[in-house]
Amino acid sequence: MSETRLDPASGGGGSVAGGVGSPGRAQIPERTLRGDRWWVQPVIIVTLLVLWLLYALVRTSMQRYYFVETYHYLTPFYSPCVTASCVPDARHLGTWMGELPPLVPYAFFLLPILLGFRLTCYYYRKAYYRSFWLSPPACAVAEPHARYTGETRFPLILQNVHRYFFYAALVVSGMNTLDAFDGFHGKDGGIGMGLGTLIMLVNAGFLWLYTASCHSCRHLIGGRLKHFSRHPVRYRAWTVVSRLNTRHMQLAWTTLATLMVTDAYIALVASGAVTDLRFFN
Amino acid sequence: MAADLEHFEYDVVIVGAGGAGLRAAIAAREAGLRTAIICKSLFGKAHTVMAEGGIAASMGNVNSNDSWQVHFRDTMRGGKFLNSWRMAELHAKEAPDRVWELETYGALFDRTPDGRISQRNFGGHEYPRLAHVGDRTGLELIRTLQQKIVSLQQDDERETGDPESRLKVFAEVTITDLLQDPSGAIAGAFGYWRESGRFVRFNAPAVVLATGGIGKSFKVTSNSWEYTGDGHALALRAGSTLVNMEFIQFHPTGMVWPPSVKGILVTESVRGDGGVLKNSEGKRFMFDYVPDVFRGQYAETEEEGDRWYTDPDTNKRPPELLPRDEVARAINSEVKAGRGSPHGGVFLDIASRRPPEEILKKLPSMHHQFKELADVDITKEAMEVGPTCHYVMGGVEVDPDTAAAAGVPGLFAAGEVSGGMHGSNRLGGNSLSDLLVFGARAGTGAAAYVLALGDRRPDVDQAVVDAAAAAALAPFEEEGGENPYTLHQEMQQTMNDLVGIIRTAAEIERALERLEDLKARAEHLTVEGHRQFNPGWHLALDLRNMLAVSECVARAALLRQESRGGHTRDDYPTMDPHWRGRNLICSADGDGIVVREQPMPSMRGDLLALFDTGELAKYLTPDELAAVPAPATPTDGSGS
Amino acid sequence: MSYDARFRVWRGDADGGELVDYTVEVNEGEVVLDIIHRLQATQSGDLAVRWNCKAGKCGSCSAEVNGMPRLLCMTRMSTFTETETVTVTPLRAFPVIRDLVTDVSFNYAKARQIPAFAPPDLAPGEYRMQQVDVERSQEFRKCIECFLCQDTCHVVRDHESNKEAFAGPRFLIRAAELDMHPLDAREDRADFARDEQGIGMCNITKCCTEVCPEHIKITDNAIIPMKERVVGRHYDPLVWLGTKIGLRKR
């Protein structure tokens, strides 16, 4: 996937010369004969991902409205809050280091894991290779690159570290779960529950599902075996993960949504724009 | 013309790349001979992929009572005792080894709980006997053999540096003529590349015909375009003979709707796994059609039939699992009596009898086929099915042990193109095993023949080659002749209407008149375009094969005055022991076709002893019965 | 029930060609292949097309319909409106021979490069395998070799120069099939997939899965598991460490 060279001869901006226009193949000038609206999907994906990233950028750089002190709601974008920069109650996992320099995101060592897990995720790879890199923009639509080496070279060969991000993502899901438990905090300091707690729980739940449905997880838990029959427990686990895995794409998008909703809700409550709907205490 | 001709030298040329051809090629190559495989289409696309049910072999994995003797008995019963008993014996004995061998090539059959090859029930088989992979067993067979051939080529590449040094596949080549020396011995084969239209000549002392069947002579057929009777016609023109061409199996359950897929097969496993046939009144009509020879072997009530699926040892099987010819005739009668489905078939219902998950698990490709081709969900509604031309029992008359074709040294035949093995009717599952058993035997037989020849290889006159080329080009010479597509359609209609599932002397005679007329018109065909991948030209050349074979079918059908297996005469509705002992032999006579009677060799005593006398009495003449030697052995269920 | 449809069919050979317009009768329940056959029988007897079984089982009639790789026999006419023009071209990733027929020998060459099934040291008839162990490979053995996945894969479709290094989805599932075969005696299938079949070139954009007429989950069930197996052998530092200190055998 190195070296992009647009071929001016093909007008529409696609290099077909080394591909569908190669000598010997049926000579058809169009880069695709698809008449359906194949470009809709890449456009939607680009739009949604860009909007989400902008939102995340804005929110992480705000460095406020990330914690609701009364109910101990901590947004996932600032979790875990373990530096002296965080408000004290948000540090329910402890204070591991001193104040951060300005502009460094509070969750600076966890955000790369979150991003890395998703960047190397087999589903997101498909989504951004198609939509951002147009390689290919849609099935049977010629891509604009003159050369293509896939994931065989640096940097894309690094996609192979996905399973390490998976291990790390387990930790992330764990922390988000702890945050959700911490969100059972009532006005009077005892146990309480509100809509925010529920949202955090749902978010943590979907994060677990997304993480467990990962292709690397599927491989590690049982897919790598040659004989399922000799490992009945792992085989059962593999069948469960396999079923989840067929929903990996849906879970990938659902978790983007739940992350954003959780953060937005906590920001709104923390800023005082809305009042949390309390179920009890 | 010489510049136009490619030339190859081989020891054995296999014409046909289905199960029989590929297995023959493996055998010939393993005997150390240089072998060419000729495919009419691409490698791995042969009609064998369509086989769904399984491979019959008495491995006894599911019911250990099974043995080659029981398989032999079932085969003879299915063929109504007209089988070449020696072929049926070899087939039953060797099928298990041929199946196990496939596992060493990498085949992955469905398994029993203890890890063996699973076997399923099928019409006419006393025990669960069909090794299978879901309902795509034919695909597994062809892919396995294809991959074994590739693996042999890899061996050759390691040894000689050239993967094609001893085994080469010629894809998309059609053979139009066999080349013979003046004595009639095989010297090679002549054909053309479909792709370029260029001619190709193979010099080889042995040719194995494995070209499959003749279904494209009929309008409603489950067969693909390749099934134009090429091997049958090549053998006839070379001076060999065809046996029992009147026996054509109409598979009882072909799709009848939509029109584009009319004839495409619905596997018998649907019935083996619980599907039942119903008429427009919702009645399971098969109980009314159990013929006398099978009475006592099939359930008489729906309750008993239904119990059989879970407890086959103490119950009799439902009559939906009668041999194919019986079921086809029953469906035909129901439709004629006005109790058919909207599109002229009957209903095959599994939806109301099995849960959707089970149907999906056991019949995935049937579900897929109906969903994609007919927009019918077989887990929710019944299928509409009717008889379709499926298989020709007749074929090249061969020596059972070596598969050598009668009368032509160096010519061999295996698989559907050969005759005798299945008698008057083939059991489901016996085709794939036939391909493997006799494919291997043909390859070995051809190899032995070539090795025995040594350096004394037959040679062919240049004039013979030139004549073959001229004949192939004839359709381009003619101007203002007929369109081969039109002629083909007329021939299919004729065969379907007049020499179809139910026949009478008057209709067959009319068919013969029309065939004569078509033959004359086929002398003057015109094709447009040029020689490069020209389907019109290809059809024009195939047409003469189909016409010759159709004439054999019609003439034999006229001569055999009885109804037996895949040959039903309305004017002679019963089985006649006199005809049981007679084969009808078809040969070419100038431009015409002649058919003569030929007595069959008597069955060996030890094989006869596998049947009880009561059963033999249904098939043999009183004289033959009197000559039966030993008393029948105590049966293990043959008459139950 | 029948109507006249407008068809555009690519006619030509390696030296050139064009889309030719036809008006042709269509009846209820027909598929694109029926229409191509009607063109052959009534309008142009020399129109070249490959086909065999007409039931989606042999994988011969692969072509592109309205730009998408499809089996002609499995594309029902009812999926188009009566006014729609249906465009049929040959596969665009392979050299054309004539009209709708292409030279697919690339695929047979790739098939021959994969080391064959390596039988275990067992006599025929002694093979024992559990159903759960054969099911994964059985999914891949459903492949009918229509080569639509090979045709749609942009690695070779858009880059002729990659044909040397990349085997294509069909043969990556063959690699997975053999690696998951419970009795295959070879241990180096994943290495072969990386070094000889170019599995790293696949960027898992899933078009192969989208066009597969057998609905084989090529990407999720074969290619990604193979990529993970490659990772396990070559890119996983823990595995590397485990091998070094003897905790894990290769």
Side-chain angles (χ1 to χ4, degrees):
Chain A
M1 239 175 237
S2 50
E3 196 178 318
T4 305
R5 184 154 49 84
L6 294 183
D7 182 2
S10 64
S15 169
V16 295
V20 287
S22 302
R25 301 199 198 176
Q27 290 172 26
I28 300 167
E30 289 86 350
R31 94 190 243 244
T32 183
L33 286 166
R34 284 183 65 168
D36 58 340
R37 297 186 300 153
W38 53 263
W39 40 267
V40 167
Q41 205 184 1
V43 168
I44 292 175
I45 287 176
V46 166
T47 312
L48 291 179
L49 287 180
V50 167
L51 286 177
W52 194 90
L53 284 170
L54 284 175
Y55 176 85
L57 190 67
V58 168
R59 279 293 293 145
T60 46
S61 52
M62 277 170 86
Q63 305 205 333
R64 51 188 176 139
Y65 306 143
Y66 60 86
F67 188 65
V68 180
E69 302 208 18
T70 327
Y71 309 125
H72 285 200
Y73 294 162
L74 176 67
T75 160
F77 287 6
Y78 284 74
S79 167
C81 236
V82 287
T83 67
S85 306
C86 292
V87 292
D89 277 350
R91 296 180 229 156
H92 66 99
L93 294 173
T95 309
W96 304 353
M97 61 181 70
E99 295 236 359
L100 291 171
L103 288 180
V104 175
Y106 285 13
F108 71 95
F109 57 93
L110 225 145
L111 284 179
I113 293 175
L114 195 108
L115 284 177
F117 185 46
R118 286 174 193 255
L119 265 178
T120 60
C121 158
Y122 286 98
Y123 167 67
Y124 284 106
R125 271 145 81 180
K126 172 202 167 188
Y128 64 75
Y129 284 142
R130 278 205 194 186
S131 310
F132 285 85
W133 199 254
L134 308 179
S135 177
C139 301
V141 178
E143 60 177 300
H145 311 276
R147 284 188 66 245
Y148 171 91
T149 55
E151 300 181 336
T152 57
R153 297 184 188 179
F154 184 82
L156 291 178
I157 198 166
L158 292 179
Q159 303 279 29
N160 286 313
V161 302
H162 185 51
R163 70 171 58 163
Y164 287 89
F165 283 112
F166 161 70
Y167 290 133
L170 290 174
V171 178
V172 176
S173 301
M175 290 191 175
N176 277 283
T177 311
L178 291 177
D179 291 344
F181 289 157
D182 198 43
F184 283 97
H185 189 90
K187 279 191 279 272
D188 62 2
I191 291 182
M193 187 183 179
L195 180 58
T197 325
L198 187 64
I199 290 175
M200 289 171 79
L201 274 178
V202 167
N203 178 52
F206 274 109
L207 284 177
W208 277 116
L209 288 177
Y210 169 67
T211 310
S213 69
C214 155
H215 291 84
S216 289
C217 173
R218 186 176 180 227
H219 170 79
L220 294 163
I221 208 147
R224 50 186 293 271
L225 299 172
K226 207 173 173 86
H227 298 96
F228 284 146
S229 55
R230 294 179 197 162
H231 305 85
V233 177
R234 290 182 72 182
Y235 173 61
R236 285 258 287 287
W238 178 82
T239 54
V240 171
V241 169
S242 295
R243 269 204 299 280
L244 284 176
N245 180 258
T246 59
R247 306 244 175 285
H248 199 48
M249 174 182 83
Q250 289 89 328
L251 288 166
W253 285 103
T254 309
T255 47
L256 284 190
T258 58
L259 281 168
M260 194 161 137
V261 167
T262 311
D263 177 75
Y265 185 78
I266 290 169
L268 290 171
V269 176
S271 66
V274 301
T275 324
D276 187 32
L277 174 69
R278 297 305 289 175
F279 302 149
F280 63 93
N281 194 13
Chain B
M1 196 157 290
D4 190 27
L5 184 73
E6 270 184 280
H7 196 139
F8 297 96
E9 296 281 339
Y10 280 93
D11 297 323
V12 179
V13 169
I14 317 269
V15 187
L22 297 186
R23 189 60 190 82
I26 291 168
R29 156 65 183 75
E30 284 183 337
L33 298 190
R34 281 171 45 82
T35 306
I37 302 168
I38 320 289
C39 321
K40 205 166 164 182
S41 45
L42 290 175
F43 187 31
K45 305 296 181 198
H47 202 52
T48 308
V49 301
M50 298 294 285
E52 292 160 344
I55 313 176
S58 57
M59 296 180 286
N61 292 349
V62 171
N63 188 325
S64 56
N65 291 329
D66 206 5
S67 65
W68 76 262
Q69 288 92 341
V70 185
H71 191 184
F72 169 80
R73 208 160 53 197
D74 289 343
T75 304
M76 292 300 295
R77 274 180 196 149
K80 305 272 162 48
F81 270 67
L82 205 80
N83 316 54
S84 153
W85 52 264
R86 175 63 179 159
M87 287 177 90
E89 178 195 7
L90 290 171
H91 169 259
K93 280 181 174 166
E94 293 175 7
D97 286 337
R98 295 289 85 79
V99 173
W100 284 323
E101 192 171 68
L102 293 177
E103 288 200 307
T104 70
Y105 301 169
L108 282 174
F109 292 102
D110 287 346
R111 318 304 296 183
T112 61
D114 65 348
R116 296 163 200 266
I117 296 172
S118 176
Q119 297 185 271
R120 67 156 51 116
N121 278 302
F122 229 60
H125 292 281
E126 191 168 331
Y127 296 116
R129 188 175 285 147
L130 270 64
H132 58 274
V133 187
D135 48 7
R136 53 161 193 87
T137 315
L139 175 65
E140 184 71 12
L141 178 66
I142 203 92
R143 203 63 82 230
T144 300
L145 294 173
Q146 181 185 346
Q147 286 164 351
K148 175 64 180 176
I149 294 216
V150 166
S151 117
L152 290 169
Q153 289 180 325
Q154 290 171 344
D155 293 346
D156 290 343
E157 185 170 23
R158 272 192 293 278
E159 231 175 278
T160 69
D162 174 9
E164 295 181 328
S165 51
R166 282 190 283 228
L167 189 53
K168 184 172 159 76
V169 178
F170 292 81
E172 301 197 304
V173 169
T174 302
I175 296 298
T176 57
D177 275 299
L178 296 176
L179 303 175
Q180 291 163 283
D181 78 356
S183 79
I186 290 292
F190 180 90
Y192 61 89
W193 291 96
R194 300 174 72 80
E195 190 175 295
S196 60
R198 287 161 54 93
F199 289 130
V200 54
R201 169 187 171 179
F202 298 92
N203 277 10
V207 169
V208 177
L209 298 174
T211 54
I214 64 164
K216 272 295 151 188
S217 301
F218 288 81
K219 189 174 166 216
V220 181
T221 177
S222 63
N223 296 173
S224 83
W225 65 269
E226 296 179 286
Y227 266 37
T228 50
D230 294 6
H232 294 81
L234 288 171
L236 272 183
R237 289 204 297 272
S240 188
T241 50
L242 308 184
V243 58
N244 292 342
M245 289 299 288
E246 66 277 27
F247 295 111
I248 291 175
Q249 186 173 77
F250 289 82
H251 193 285
T253 56
M255 295 174 78
V256 297
W257 176 258
S260 66
V261 293
K262 195 171 174 122
I264 289 175
L265 221 60
V266 181
T267 175
E268 199 165 319
S269 330
V270 176
R271 282 171 284 141
D273 288 333
V276 295
L277 293 165
K278 291 179 180 167
N279 61 21
S280 59
E281 296 162 1
K283 181 177 179 205
R284 269 178 80 174
F285 56 83
M286 281 309 298
F287 287 95
D288 303 338
Y289 290 92
V290 182
D292 287 340
V293 285
F294 288 110
R295 210 162 284 289
Q297 295 170 40
Y298 285 83
E300 280 163 32
T301 63
E302 294 192 16
E303 292 70 33
E304 178 174 18
D306 287 348
R307 283 198 302 271
W308 173 84
Y309 293 107
T310 47
D311 179 14
D313 288 334
T314 55
N315 292 289
K316 285 174 282 185
R317 56 182 54 211
E320 275 87 5
L321 294 175
L322 276 162
R324 290 173 171 181
D325 54 329
E326 308 289 354
V327 182
R329 278 199 297 269
I331 294 176
N332 207 55
S333 305
E334 285 295 307
V335 174
K336 276 196 175 166
R339 295 189 291 270
S341 67
H343 298 103
V346 295
F347 296 104
L348 173 56
D349 175 24
I350 192 163
S352 72
R353 295 178 48 86
R354 293 287 181 267
E357 315 80 67
E358 188 184 330
I359 299 173
L360 283 173
K361 172 84 186 80
K362 290 201 165 161
L363 302 162
S365 73
M366 269 304 105
H367 180 261
H368 182 237
Q369 176 177 325
F370 271 85
K371 195 81 204 130
E372 306 267 334
L373 296 175
D375 206 13
V376 166
D377 183 349
I378 65 168
T379 65
K380 296 203 176 74
E381 44 188 320
M383 298 158 252
E384 276 188 69
V385 298
T388 173
C389 174
H390 179 52
Y391 189 89
V392 58
M393 271 68 73
V396 180
E397 192 186 4
V398 291
D399 171 62
D401 289 75
T402 61
V408 181
L411 187 62
F412 298 79
E416 191 172 350
V417 70
S418 68
M421 158 71 207
H422 303 289
S424 68
N425 179 44
R426 174 176 70 78
L427 293 185
N430 268 3
S431 177
L432 293 185
S433 42
D434 171 17
L435 304 183
L436 293 171
V437 169
F438 293 101
R441 282 192 165 267
T444 314
Y449 170 83
V450 173
L451 292 171
L453 274 183
D455 294 334
R456 291 167 288 116
R457 297 198 165 199
D459 203 7
V460 66
D461 280 350
Q462 186 57 40
V464 175
V465 180
D466 292 344
L473 287 178
F476 287 112
E477 307 300 321
E478 187 92 21
E479 278 190 31
E482 288 204 66
N483 179 346
Y485 294 97
T486 314
L487 235 64
H488 185 211
Q489 278 162 18
E490 281 183 40
M491 183 193 67
Q492 289 180 316
Q493 194 74 54
T494 302
M495 292 302 285
N496 226 76
D497 294 348
L498 303 176
V499 202
I501 181 163
I502 310 284
R503 302 160 176 171
T504 64
E507 284 181 349
I508 301 170
E509 276 159 7
R510 275 226 312 285
L512 281 166
E513 280 167 33
R514 287 202 201 163
L515 287 173
E516 279 304 320
D517 171 56
L518 287 168
K519 222 157 73 176
R521 286 160 64 195
E523 300 287 309
H524 306 284
L525 293 175
T526 297
V527 295
E528 57 178 297
H530 46 85
R531 285 168 64 181
Q532 213 190 14
F533 216 109
N534 186 336
W537 178 43
H538 302 164
L539 179 61
L541 296 179
D542 292 344
L543 205 52
R544 63 176 179 160
N545 296 340
M546 287 187 272
L547 283 166
V549 170
S550 296
E551 192 176 340
C552 271
V553 173
R555 290 202 184 281
L558 186 61
L559 204 58
R560 183 174 288 274
Q561 294 176 335
E562 66 160 348
S563 293
R564 180 187 297 273
H567 171 67
T568 302
R569 285 283 296 265
D570 231 8
D571 41 359
Y572 299 93
T574 55
M575 216 158 51
D576 178 350
H578 160 77
W579 280 104
R580 207 278 313 156
R582 280 174 169 59
N583 283 331
L584 295 182
I585 305 296
C586 174
S587 55
D589 177 26
D591 281 343
I593 295 287
V594 290
V595 175
R596 61 182 160 80
E597 288 180 33
Q598 178 174 289
M600 291 176 67
S602 323
M603 199 191 295
R604 237 177 33 227
D606 59 317
L607 297 176
L608 271 175
L610 294 170
F611 301 87
D612 61 40
T613 19
E615 179 168 21
L616 289 177
K618 295 173 186 169
Y619 299 106
L620 305 187
T621 61
D623 290 350
E624 288 171 322
L625 208 54
V628 172
T633 49
T635 64
D636 51 354
S638 69
S640 66
Chain C
M1 283 307 190
S2 73
Y3 67 98
D4 283 334
R6 279 179 302 151
F7 262 68
R8 290 167 80 207
V9 182
W10 195 85
R11 305 291 311 266
D13 54 29
D15 297 328
E18 58 179 346
L19 288 165
V20 177
D21 290 297
Y22 295 95
T23 302
V24 55
E25 184 190 322
V26 173
N27 302 308
E28 194 194 349
E30 288 186 326
V31 295
V32 173
L33 184 59
D34 292 315
I35 312 308
I36 298 293
H37 282 156
R38 185 159 300 125
L39 286 175
Q40 270 184 349
T42 58
Q43 299 184 35
S44 68
D46 62 342
L47 169 59
V49 61
R50 266 197 196 108
W51 68 287
N52 272 31
C53 75
K54 257 191 120 222
K57 291 190 180 172
C58 76
S60 299
C61 60
S62 308
E64 298 189 10
V65 181
N66 289 348
M68 274 302 277
R70 301 194 65 104
L71 292 180
L72 296 177
C73 73
M74 297 294 273
T75 308
R76 291 213 303 274
M77 285 305 294
S78 60
T79 56
F80 308 107
T81 62
E82 294 192 5
T83 53
E84 198 173 345
T85 301
V86 180
T87 307
V88 187
T89 69
L91 300 177
R92 292 180 71 186
F94 306 119
V96 69
I97 292 171
R98 208 163 84 81
D99 302 342
L100 301 178
V101 177
T102 46
D103 173 1
V104 292
S105 55
F106 163 75
N107 302 293
Y108 290 96
K110 291 293 176 188
R112 200 184 276 162
Q113 289 164 8
I114 304 175
F117 170 68
D121 192 15
L122 288 170
E126 297 300 317
Y127 285 39
R128 295 290 178 274
M129 295 179 258
Q130 291 301 312
Q131 186 63 32
V132 290
D133 295 337
V134 300
E135 268 168 5
R136 276 189 300 180
S137 296
Q138 281 183 332
E139 179 188 6
F140 310 135
R141 290 183 75 82
K142 287 197 312 199
C143 171
I144 57 173
E145 297 203 331
C146 62
F147 306 130
L148 290 181
C149 58
Q150 305 285 88
D151 176 56
T152 199
C153 179
H154 71 114
V155 179
V156 288
R157 183 185 177 94
D158 293 338
H159 307 278
E160 181 72 24
S161 55
N162 283 343
K163 281 188 177 171
E164 178 79 28
F166 187 62
R170 189 314 169 223
F171 299 103
L172 293 174
I173 68 169
R174 170 74 170 144
E177 173 211 317
L178 289 165
D179 205 33
M180 296 174 187
H181 190 303
L183 290 179
D184 180 59
R186 285 186 86 108
E187 306 252 318
D188 60 347
R189 304 278 178 197
D191 301 336
F192 186 82
R194 184 187 78 144
D195 301 336
E196 308 295 332
Q197 294 187 291
I199 195 170
M201 300 191 92
C202 167
N203 68 347
I204 50 170
T205 36
K206 279 197 158 176
C207 286
C208 50
T209 307
E210 276 184 36
V211 300
C212 179
E214 286 294 307
H215 309 303
I216 299 171
K217 300 277 179 279
I218 299 174
T219 320
D220 286 326
N221 288 352
I223 297 182
I224 294 176
M226 283 311 277
K227 277 186 172 249
E228 284 292 318
R229 286 167 187 230
V230 169
V231 171
R233 292 175 76 92
H234 296 282
Y235 302 110
D236 187 330
L238 277 192
V239 172
W240 178 83
L241 193 68
T243 318
K244 278 285 170 211
I245 61 176
L247 286 177
R248 184 186 263 260
K249 66 178 167 56
R250 290 210 63 130

